[in-house]
Amino acid sequence: MARPEPVPMGDSRVEFRANGALVGVPEPQDDGRTFRIPLDEVRTADLDDLQVQAAGRRLDEAPGAGASRK
């Protein structure tokens, strides 16, 4: 299994979102692929449909993977 590529750092911030609402803005870790947010900063208790996004684009699934989802 190939290792994920580091997330290129640009002008867009990485966000954790659940059910369309912002959960929080994580801090990047040294490996460039891992983003963490302290749970005490989570703004919602409902984490169904948790997503990682930057500039409205999902980072937590392979390109084209969402095309077959409802």
Side-chain angles (χ1 to χ4, degrees):
M1 181 178 212
R3 291 182 72 177
E5 294 291 321
V7 175
M9 300 313 292
D11 292 337
S12 299
R13 71 181 185 181
V14 173
E15 300 176 338
F16 288 1
R17 294 187 161 271
N19 303 311
L22 179 66
V23 174
V25 178
E27 292 293 322
Q29 304 301 295
D30 291 338
D31 65 4
R33 297 183 309 270
T34 305
F35 290 80
R36 293 192 174 140
I37 188 169
L39 290 179
D40 59 344
E41 293 181 16
V42 173
R43 298 181 187 150
T44 181
D46 184 5
L47 298 178
D48 291 338
D49 192 33
L50 184 63
Q51 299 179 3
V52 181
Q53 298 182 2
R57 182 175 58 94
R58 284 194 70 172
L59 303 178
D60 60 333
E61 65 182 8
S68 63
R69 298 176 89 190
K70 295 201 270 184

